[in-house]
Amino acid sequence: MGATKEAVKRLLPFAGAALIAATDLYIKDKMDKDLPKEGEEATVPIKKGKLIFHRYHNKGAFFGIGEKYPDKVKMASAMACGGVFGALYSSVIGKGTFFEKLGYTFCLGGAMSNTYDRVKKGYVMDYASLDVKPAKIRKVVFNLSDVFIFLGSIIVVISSLITKRK
């Protein structure tokens, strides 16, 4: 009985990452079908509080970096996803802290969803931006996976700064 409980405990972060990826892929698919075509968001933005929803097919990495080299972006994305998988696996097997596992789980879930989009569709579906004063920030379009990658990265960094290694 103890071995089964331990196995479930080790698999839980990976199941969490899969749930994050599946949830974001569902939202991306819905947004891609329901939102106005690219370019139309300027005439009819869909606002929900501080969020503006619109369709943006990002063929590069973050901020469109590398969009002229889609195969290289796909490869880099897959390699990063594998690296995060390895980091989470190492954390789970090596008895990493709760926050380390949580951070890597968030990062892996986001990375899996965005990598799937890049490989399957050739672009990542971004759909939200912030309705804030600085125009530079308002122009950044993101998705739920990006939020999880960002939060996960912050959690991992803070966890590594406050955790004493043996």
Side-chain angles (χ1 to χ4, degrees):
M1 189 67 149
T4 303
K5 186 175 180 180
E6 184 64 28
V8 168
K9 191 175 174 181
R10 287 184 175 185
L11 288 174
L12 202 53
F14 297 98
L19 180 62
I20 289 167
T23 300
D24 189 48
L25 287 169
Y26 172 80
I27 292 169
K28 288 177 187 177
D29 185 57
K30 183 134 180 69
M31 293 293 196
D32 210 13
K33 289 177 183 171
D34 295 349
L35 289 174
K37 301 288 183 221
E38 281 187 59
E40 294 178 10
E41 71 272 7
T43 56
V44 186
I46 301 168
K47 291 187 178 184
K48 299 286 184 189
K50 289 289 184 185
L51 288 177
I52 301 172
F53 293 99
H54 45 105
R55 180 193 319 234
Y56 178 68
H57 293 170
N58 185 355
K59 294 181 178 151
F62 56 95
F63 303 116
I65 294 171
E67 66 184 353
K68 293 181 181 178
Y69 308 99
D71 289 337
K72 290 181 180 180
V73 172
K74 286 178 192 176
M75 182 62 72
S77 184
M79 289 172 61
C81 192
V84 175
F85 181 92
L88 178 57
Y89 180 79
S90 177
S91 178
V92 167
I93 298 303
K95 306 294 184 197
T97 68
F98 170 80
F99 288 107
E100 183 180 9
K101 293 174 195 171
L102 180 67
Y104 285 133
T105 297
F106 283 8
C107 288
L108 181 60
M112 288 190 317
S113 177
N114 283 346
T115 300
Y116 177 86
D117 267 0
R118 278 191 188 93
V119 171
K120 185 78 172 173
K121 299 178 182 177
Y123 61 85
V124 172
M125 173 63 190
D126 290 331
Y127 51 80
S129 58
L130 297 173
D131 188 16
V132 294
K133 284 280 183 203
K136 286 183 179 182
I137 294 175
R138 193 177 314 123
K139 289 182 182 180
V140 175
V141 186
F142 57 92
N143 59 45
L144 186 61
S145 286
D146 297 336
V147 172
F148 273 104
I149 292 168
F150 180 75
L151 290 175
S153 298
I154 289 172
I155 292 169
V156 168
V157 168
I158 291 172
S159 175
S160 69
L161 291 174
I162 62 174
T163 302
K164 293 182 182 177
R165 298 285 176 192
K166 294 177 183 175

